Amino acid sequence: MNFVPQLNYVSEEQIEKLHQYGMKILKNLGMRIEDPDIRKLLCEHGCTEKGDRICFTDTLIGDMLKAQKGRVTMTSAVTGMKKEMEIGKTFVHSTGGAPWIADMKTGKRRNGMLTDLIDTIRVMNQLPELDLPCALVYPSEIPSAVTQLRQTATMLKYSHKPIYGPGISLASNAKYIAELFKVYGGSALADNPIGMVGISPESPLFLPKEITDTMSYIVRAGIPVSILAAPMGGLTSPLSVAGTVAQAHAEILAFACVSYLMNPDCVLFYGSRTFFANMKNSQSILGLPETGISSALAVQLANHCGFLSDVYGLSCTSCAMDEQAGYEKMINAMLPGLAGATLITGFGSTASVMCCSLSQLVLDNEIIAMIRKAKKPFAITEDEMGFEALEYVIHDEETFLEQEHTIDHLHEEVFQPSIGFDSVWADWIKCGEVSLAKRAAERALELIQNDEVPETKPEITAEVEKILAAAEKELL
């Protein structure tokens, strides 16, 4: 019988208590919703309006939860690569929207450029542990009025994999991004999605009109959405893990109810982004263990409610590719990974996701490979025990090296790193004592050289150019 490692951070009874507390927030305090048309829509489905706040009902929330899919298959429109996601299976996507990147020559941070975004996508194409690339770095030379659109177009052009588009906060961009998805994926995006995007409510408990307008374009088009609720303990939510998780839960449920009324077939991800600050300076930092703990709780809540989940993550406070980055990333990805997260984010980032690095992409690929090893089903069988091999060694004075059992288990039983050093000190000296960071940088450059830009049909390229031209004419 196979044993699948799984972390239940709290009991099912306590998860239900957290769920009910989130429901209590929505029923008693409600969600501030700026657009009167959205408030009217919710009231038509049983909700109560108190000024610009809406108090939700058990019935609407229950109907929304029953509509959740719990699985989705995303397919690259260019290469046909598929990612078949469902609750209990873990996938990984990169960080999105870092303003800075570590320069490959100097190691110093600088503003990201469009060429950097392209390079990060090409490295991610070649990393087996990275399932969905996101727009890792903001290209600083692109005008802010069209940057979300240009990032999406760049990802669709260069990625071999289904994409996780940039977090969308501008309805003006959302309109054109929906058109891009339709050009690449056809009109039936809910049935055959080519990727997904993230959209964030504001904390505490607020859906601005700009966000509900953005939702309208994306959700009605059937593009899968991660609901990126991002309360910060002590600043925009209670200073406790449980209180912050419960508030994020309420914000996600409210967003999901609005999405459900717009399009009940749209796939939604429970995109909890719980933050905790260094209260000595009020700065949000993502290397704290509370990041992983709250993410594991969020995964349990998502599973309890039937949502696919999307949480931190391979995140760290460290501003360098050092030991601190390593241990922070491992704890904060391991906890939600073992809890059964559908998607884990943070891949490729440093400095609380404010900076990214081609080298860090390579290093995070190794961390995720180790976590997937830890999650691999563990079998206790006669074959696994190797009794016959032991018997030959004891009775016939053979060695384990010559046994079929050893040969059968040679390639998969013991972890083999792709970038980490795996020998002894004498070999370390023979290899030139090259640092891990340098090896990762060299590997990243090799991956870019090995990558081939996928071919795009000329008619798709022409349509994309029309969309970009129309957007720039309207918005610039």
Side-chain angles (χ1 to χ4, degrees):
M1 181 177 180
N2 284 354
F3 168 67
V4 180
Q6 187 174 25
L7 170 67
N8 290 317
Y9 218 87
V10 297
S11 68
E12 187 64 18
E13 292 75 17
Q14 289 173 310
I15 284 296
E16 174 61 21
K17 187 175 181 180
L18 267 175
H19 171 57
Q20 291 300 327
Y21 190 79
M23 298 272 283
K24 178 182 177 181
I25 291 173
L26 285 184
K27 289 189 287 185
N28 293 350
L29 302 178
M31 191 86 169
R32 181 185 169 203
I33 297 178
E34 194 171 36
D35 189 342
D37 291 335
I38 300 297
R39 297 200 299 270
K40 179 180 178 183
L41 176 65
L42 288 164
C43 289
E44 289 171 352
H45 288 81
C47 297
T48 304
E49 187 172 10
K50 296 181 179 180
D52 61 356
R53 303 192 75 83
I54 291 291
C55 294
F56 288 73
T57 65
D58 289 330
T59 300
L60 177 58
I61 295 172
D63 289 344
M64 175 274 294
L65 291 177
K66 290 175 185 176
Q68 296 313 304
K69 308 296 184 292
R71 65 176 63 229
V72 64
T73 297
M74 298 186 191
T75 307
S76 167
V78 179
T79 66
M81 182 183 293
K82 294 182 179 294
K83 299 294 178 180
E84 298 177 352
M85 302 182 197
E86 61 182 81
I87 293 173
K89 290 184 178 181
T90 298
F91 297 80
V92 182
H93 71 88
S94 69
T95 289
W100 303 314
I101 189 167
D103 188 271
M104 290 294 283
K105 293 182 179 179
T106 67
K108 302 296 184 181
R109 80 171 196 191
R110 58 173 173 77
N111 290 337
M113 306 292 286
L114 185 60
T115 53
D116 295 315
L117 176 57
I118 294 169
D119 283 345
T120 62
I121 296 169
R122 299 186 72 186
V123 171
M124 290 188 280
N125 284 341
Q126 304 297 314
L127 295 176
E129 306 300 334
L130 190 284
D131 298 292
L132 300 182
C134 193
L136 186 60
V137 62
Y138 277 131
S140 59
E141 78 271 36
I142 303 299
S144 60
V146 294
T147 186
Q148 294 166 10
L149 174 63
R150 286 291 300 273
Q151 290 173 55
T152 306
T154 302
M155 295 181 70
L156 287 168
K157 178 178 180 180
Y158 287 95
S159 178
H160 294 190
K161 304 173 182 180
I163 72 164
Y164 190 126
I168 306 176
S169 57
L170 299 173
S172 57
N173 277 227
K175 175 176 66 173
Y176 291 106
I177 288 171
E179 291 303 313
L180 279 181
F181 269 74
K182 290 175 184 177
V183 167
Y184 277 92
S187 57
L189 291 173
D191 299 322
N192 186 35
I194 60 173
M196 60 186 290
V197 300
I199 306 175
S200 298
E202 291 187 11
S203 296
L205 300 162
F206 179 37
L207 276 174
K209 186 176 185 301
E210 188 71 29
I211 293 302
T212 51
D213 286 349
T214 297
M215 292 167 62
S216 182
Y217 285 117
I218 299 299
V219 171
R220 295 184 196 279
I223 300 168
V225 174
S226 189
I227 307 168
L228 306 179
M232 188 184 302
L235 298 179
T236 62
S237 64
L239 183 53
S240 63
V241 170
T244 296
V245 169
Q247 181 181 307
H249 185 57
E251 292 169 350
I252 289 169
L253 292 179
F255 185 114
C257 284
V258 175
S259 296
Y260 168 72
L261 295 180
M262 290 178 174
N263 179 4
D265 294 324
C266 185
V267 174
L268 300 176
F269 283 75
Y270 189 102
S272 179
R273 296 289 188 271
T274 42
F275 293 86
F276 297 90
N278 177 344
M279 296 303 288
K280 293 177 289 186
N281 58 17
S282 298
Q283 295 297 311
S284 173
I285 51 177
L286 283 174
L288 299 169
E290 287 78 12
T291 301
I293 293 167
S294 60
S295 292
L297 287 172
V299 170
Q300 281 190 259
L301 269 171
N303 293 347
H304 180 78
C305 293
F307 283 103
L308 298 160
S309 56
D310 172 21
V311 296
Y312 283 125
L314 280 158
S315 52
C316 65
T317 306
S318 175
C319 297
M321 291 176 289
D322 58 7
E323 295 85 351
Q324 180 180 341
Y327 65 69
E328 288 176 340
K329 281 172 173 280
M330 180 58 82
I331 186 64
N332 285 324
M334 176 73 87
L335 292 178
L338 291 180
T342 315
L343 278 171
I344 295 175
T345 185
F347 201 109
S349 70
T350 57
S352 298
V353 304
M354 292 299 288
C355 191
C356 65
S357 161
L358 297 179
S359 302
Q360 193 65 56
L361 286 170
V362 173
L363 298 176
D364 286 349
N365 188 75
E366 189 100 304
I367 293 174
I368 290 296
M370 288 183 167
I371 292 172
R372 282 183 164 146
K373 174 68 175 183
K375 284 175 59 67
K376 186 178 179 181
F378 194 75
I380 305 295
T381 65
E382 288 293 327
D383 179 63
E384 289 296 316
M385 298 299 287
F387 183 85
E388 188 177 76
L390 178 61
E391 187 176 38
Y392 280 127
V393 171
I394 296 298
H395 287 247
D396 299 339
E397 297 185 354
E398 295 183 4
T399 68
F400 283 107
L401 289 175
E402 60 193 300
Q403 301 303 314
E404 287 186 15
H405 183 272
T406 301
I407 295 170
D408 290 343
H409 290 75
L410 190 60
H411 295 294
E412 295 186 5
E413 185 65 18
V414 178
F415 183 80
Q416 298 182 43
S418 62
I419 191 68
F421 180 72
D422 63 346
S423 192
V424 296
W425 197 286
D427 290 336
W428 168 248
I429 294 173
K430 289 179 184 177
C431 292
E433 303 178 64
V434 180
S435 71
L436 180 61
K438 184 177 180 181
R439 295 200 305 274
E442 291 171 351
R443 179 68 57 81
L445 294 176
E446 289 174 10
L447 294 176
I448 293 174
Q449 293 296 320
N450 293 337
D451 186 63
E452 295 182 3
V453 177
E455 292 186 13
T456 304
K457 295 179 181 178
E459 56 269 27
I460 289 179
T461 300
E463 287 298 317
V464 169
E465 289 175 354
K466 287 180 183 178
I467 290 170
L468 295 177
E472 290 175 0
K473 182 178 180 181
E474 177 188 351
L475 302 175
L476 296 182

mmCIF file of all heavy atoms in Angstrom, residues 33 40 42 51 81 119 143 150 172 177 185 225 230 232 282 295 321 326 337 357 368 374 385 422 449 456:
data_model
loop_
_atom_site.group_PDB
_atom_site.id
_atom_site.type_symbol
_atom_site.label_atom_id
_atom_site.label_comp_id
_atom_site.label_asym_id
_atom_site.label_seq_id
_atom_site.Cartn_x
_atom_site.Cartn_y
_atom_site.Cartn_z
ATOM 1 N N ILE A 33 -18.309 47.091 -1.433
ATOM 2 C CA ILE A 33 -18.328 46.916 -2.887
ATOM 3 C C ILE A 33 -18.701 48.247 -3.516
ATOM 4 O O ILE A 33 -19.789 48.778 -3.309
ATOM 5 C CB ILE A 33 -19.307 45.795 -3.294
ATOM 6 C CG1 ILE A 33 -18.814 44.473 -2.692
ATOM 7 C CG2 ILE A 33 -19.429 45.697 -4.805
ATOM 8 C CD1 ILE A 33 -19.685 43.289 -2.964
ATOM 9 N N LYS A 40 -26.314 45.762 -6.502
ATOM 10 C CA LYS A 40 -27.676 45.420 -6.900
ATOM 11 C C LYS A 40 -27.767 43.952 -7.307
ATOM 12 O O LYS A 40 -28.716 43.243 -6.937
ATOM 13 C CB LYS A 40 -28.113 46.321 -8.065
ATOM 14 C CG LYS A 40 -29.525 46.034 -8.571
ATOM 15 C CD LYS A 40 -29.887 46.958 -9.734
ATOM 16 C CE LYS A 40 -31.283 46.640 -10.266
ATOM 17 N NZ LYS A 40 -31.624 47.491 -11.435
ATOM 18 N N LEU A 42 -25.942 41.475 -6.307
ATOM 19 C CA LEU A 42 -25.863 40.637 -5.116
ATOM 20 C C LEU A 42 -27.163 40.676 -4.316
ATOM 21 O O LEU A 42 -27.619 39.650 -3.799
ATOM 22 C CB LEU A 42 -24.685 41.087 -4.247
ATOM 23 C CG LEU A 42 -23.298 40.749 -4.809
ATOM 24 C CD1 LEU A 42 -22.215 41.562 -4.117
ATOM 25 C CD2 LEU A 42 -23.004 39.256 -4.665
ATOM 26 N N GLY A 51 -25.326 50.638 3.188
ATOM 27 C CA GLY A 51 -24.471 51.650 2.595
ATOM 28 C C GLY A 51 -23.775 51.049 1.388
ATOM 29 O O GLY A 51 -24.426 50.533 0.473
ATOM 30 N N MET A 81 1.518 21.574 -24.758
ATOM 31 C CA MET A 81 1.844 21.017 -23.443
ATOM 32 C C MET A 81 0.664 21.173 -22.503
ATOM 33 O O MET A 81 0.063 22.246 -22.409
ATOM 34 C CB MET A 81 3.073 21.702 -22.858
ATOM 35 C CG MET A 81 3.502 21.129 -21.511
ATOM 36 S SD MET A 81 4.911 22.008 -20.775
ATOM 37 C CE MET A 81 6.216 21.597 -21.929
ATOM 38 N N ASP A 119 14.140 36.562 -21.214
ATOM 39 C CA ASP A 119 15.137 35.619 -20.729
ATOM 40 C C ASP A 119 14.577 34.733 -19.619
ATOM 41 O O ASP A 119 14.844 33.521 -19.574
ATOM 42 C CB ASP A 119 16.376 36.357 -20.218
ATOM 43 C CG ASP A 119 17.269 36.859 -21.343
ATOM 44 O OD1 ASP A 119 17.096 36.408 -22.489
ATOM 45 O OD2 ASP A 119 18.147 37.706 -21.074
ATOM 46 N N PRO A 143 5.291 51.467 -20.832
ATOM 47 C CA PRO A 143 4.406 52.371 -20.094
ATOM 48 C C PRO A 143 3.451 51.609 -19.181
ATOM 49 O O PRO A 143 2.924 50.553 -19.553
ATOM 50 C CB PRO A 143 3.647 53.110 -21.207
ATOM 51 C CG PRO A 143 4.536 53.015 -22.407
ATOM 52 C CD PRO A 143 5.233 51.703 -22.297
ATOM 53 N N ARG A 150 1.195 44.005 -22.267
ATOM 54 C CA ARG A 150 2.434 43.643 -22.968
ATOM 55 C C ARG A 150 3.106 42.427 -22.322
ATOM 56 O O ARG A 150 3.681 41.577 -23.023
ATOM 57 C CB ARG A 150 3.393 44.830 -22.991
ATOM 58 C CG ARG A 150 2.986 45.939 -23.956
ATOM 59 C CD ARG A 150 3.116 45.510 -25.420
ATOM 60 N NE ARG A 150 4.484 45.132 -25.754
ATOM 61 C CZ ARG A 150 5.423 45.983 -26.152
ATOM 62 N NH1 ARG A 150 5.137 47.279 -26.263
ATOM 63 N NH2 ARG A 150 6.640 45.571 -26.451
ATOM 64 N N SER A 172 -8.824 48.411 -18.104
ATOM 65 C CA SER A 172 -8.461 48.774 -19.473
ATOM 66 C C SER A 172 -7.547 47.728 -20.092
ATOM 67 O O SER A 172 -7.635 47.425 -21.289
ATOM 68 C CB SER A 172 -7.770 50.143 -19.490
ATOM 69 O OG SER A 172 -6.636 50.137 -18.640
ATOM 70 N N ILE A 177 -6.482 41.859 -22.650
ATOM 71 C CA ILE A 177 -5.920 40.560 -22.274
ATOM 72 C C ILE A 177 -6.908 39.449 -22.588
ATOM 73 O O ILE A 177 -6.526 38.375 -23.082
ATOM 74 C CB ILE A 177 -5.510 40.562 -20.787
ATOM 75 C CG1 ILE A 177 -4.261 41.431 -20.607
ATOM 76 C CG2 ILE A 177 -5.259 39.137 -20.287
ATOM 77 C CD1 ILE A 177 -3.896 41.690 -19.148
ATOM 78 N N GLY A 185 -6.442 30.971 -27.753
ATOM 79 C CA GLY A 185 -7.151 29.800 -27.240
ATOM 80 C C GLY A 185 -8.531 29.565 -27.793
ATOM 81 O O GLY A 185 -9.164 28.556 -27.464
ATOM 82 N N VAL A 225 -9.184 32.122 -12.876
ATOM 83 C CA VAL A 225 -8.723 33.248 -12.060
ATOM 84 C C VAL A 225 -8.281 32.757 -10.694
ATOM 85 O O VAL A 225 -8.984 31.979 -10.041
ATOM 86 C CB VAL A 225 -9.844 34.297 -11.878
ATOM 87 C CG1 VAL A 225 -9.409 35.391 -10.900
ATOM 88 C CG2 VAL A 225 -10.241 34.905 -13.206
ATOM 89 N N ALA A 230 -4.835 39.400 -0.126
ATOM 90 C CA ALA A 230 -3.492 39.633 0.429
ATOM 91 C C ALA A 230 -3.525 40.494 1.683
ATOM 92 O O ALA A 230 -2.910 41.570 1.734
ATOM 93 C CB ALA A 230 -2.606 40.273 -0.642
ATOM 94 N N MET A 232 -2.449 41.761 5.396
ATOM 95 C CA MET A 232 -1.154 41.807 6.083
ATOM 96 C C MET A 232 -1.396 41.891 7.587
ATOM 97 O O MET A 232 -1.953 42.874 8.085
ATOM 98 C CB MET A 232 -0.335 43.000 5.613
ATOM 99 C CG MET A 232 1.098 43.005 6.140
ATOM 100 S SD MET A 232 2.024 44.498 5.674
ATOM 101 C CE MET A 232 1.907 44.417 3.885
ATOM 102 N N SER A 282 7.190 48.039 10.185
ATOM 103 C CA SER A 282 5.942 47.943 9.399
ATOM 104 C C SER A 282 6.189 47.518 7.949
ATOM 105 O O SER A 282 5.390 47.827 7.066
ATOM 106 C CB SER A 282 5.177 49.283 9.416
ATOM 107 O OG SER A 282 4.808 49.615 10.728
ATOM 108 N N SER A 295 -0.105 29.560 4.833
ATOM 109 C CA SER A 295 -0.395 28.965 3.529
ATOM 110 C C SER A 295 -0.899 27.535 3.676
ATOM 111 O O SER A 295 -1.811 27.102 2.957
ATOM 112 C CB SER A 295 0.852 29.002 2.640
ATOM 113 O OG SER A 295 1.180 30.323 2.282
ATOM 114 N N MET A 321 21.182 35.281 -2.828
ATOM 115 C CA MET A 321 21.049 33.834 -3.014
ATOM 116 C C MET A 321 21.982 33.155 -2.011
ATOM 117 O O MET A 321 23.053 32.664 -2.346
ATOM 118 C CB MET A 321 21.396 33.460 -4.451
ATOM 119 C CG MET A 321 20.387 33.931 -5.468
ATOM 120 S SD MET A 321 20.882 33.578 -7.161
ATOM 121 C CE MET A 321 22.241 34.743 -7.353
ATOM 122 N N GLY A 326 17.803 29.948 1.232
ATOM 123 C CA GLY A 326 17.557 28.516 1.126
ATOM 124 C C GLY A 326 16.649 27.992 2.204
ATOM 125 O O GLY A 326 15.666 27.299 1.915
ATOM 126 N N GLY A 337 3.216 22.515 0.495
ATOM 127 C CA GLY A 337 3.374 21.385 -0.407
ATOM 128 C C GLY A 337 2.873 20.103 0.211
ATOM 129 O O GLY A 337 2.117 19.337 -0.403
ATOM 130 N N SER A 357 15.780 36.555 -10.135
ATOM 131 C CA SER A 357 17.107 36.211 -10.635
ATOM 132 C C SER A 357 17.005 34.980 -11.515
ATOM 133 O O SER A 357 16.294 34.026 -11.184
ATOM 134 C CB SER A 357 18.042 35.943 -9.449
ATOM 135 O OG SER A 357 19.164 35.205 -9.843
ATOM 136 N N ILE A 368 12.220 22.548 -5.322
ATOM 137 C CA ILE A 368 10.935 21.912 -5.619
ATOM 138 C C ILE A 368 11.115 20.432 -5.930
ATOM 139 O O ILE A 368 10.285 19.592 -5.546
ATOM 140 C CB ILE A 368 10.221 22.633 -6.778
ATOM 141 C CG1 ILE A 368 9.740 24.003 -6.307
ATOM 142 C CG2 ILE A 368 9.044 21.821 -7.307
ATOM 143 C CD1 ILE A 368 8.689 23.964 -5.193
ATOM 144 N N ALA A 374 9.834 14.427 -1.331
ATOM 145 C CA ALA A 374 9.236 14.223 -0.014
ATOM 146 C C ALA A 374 7.754 13.870 -0.108
ATOM 147 O O ALA A 374 7.216 13.163 0.754
ATOM 148 C CB ALA A 374 9.421 15.479 0.842
ATOM 149 N N MET A 385 11.450 -3.913 0.222
ATOM 150 C CA MET A 385 12.276 -4.302 1.367
ATOM 151 C C MET A 385 13.593 -4.941 0.936
ATOM 152 O O MET A 385 14.576 -4.893 1.664
ATOM 153 C CB MET A 385 11.497 -5.260 2.265
ATOM 154 C CG MET A 385 10.235 -4.647 2.870
ATOM 155 S SD MET A 385 10.557 -3.217 3.918
ATOM 156 C CE MET A 385 11.263 -4.010 5.335
ATOM 157 N N ASP A 422 27.229 16.748 -5.108
ATOM 158 C CA ASP A 422 26.788 15.479 -4.535
ATOM 159 C C ASP A 422 27.927 14.457 -4.443
ATOM 160 O O ASP A 422 27.719 13.260 -4.678
ATOM 161 C CB ASP A 422 25.628 14.897 -5.340
ATOM 162 C CG ASP A 422 26.003 14.549 -6.775
ATOM 163 O OD1 ASP A 422 27.072 14.990 -7.229
ATOM 164 O OD2 ASP A 422 25.227 13.830 -7.423
ATOM 165 N N GLN A 449 20.447 29.381 -24.021
ATOM 166 C CA GLN A 449 21.031 28.970 -25.299
ATOM 167 C C GLN A 449 20.298 27.757 -25.884
ATOM 168 O O GLN A 449 20.157 27.632 -27.101
ATOM 169 C CB GLN A 449 22.514 28.643 -25.113
ATOM 170 C CG GLN A 449 23.389 29.837 -24.769
ATOM 171 C CD GLN A 449 23.425 30.883 -25.884
ATOM 172 O OE1 GLN A 449 23.484 30.545 -27.057
ATOM 173 N NE2 GLN A 449 23.385 32.158 -25.510
ATOM 174 N N THR A 456 4.766 30.675 -33.993
ATOM 175 C CA THR A 456 3.386 31.144 -33.876
ATOM 176 C C THR A 456 2.813 31.312 -35.280
ATOM 177 O O THR A 456 3.489 31.820 -36.178
ATOM 178 C CB THR A 456 3.329 32.488 -33.123
ATOM 179 O OG1 THR A 456 3.950 32.336 -31.842
ATOM 180 C CG2 THR A 456 1.892 32.942 -32.926
#
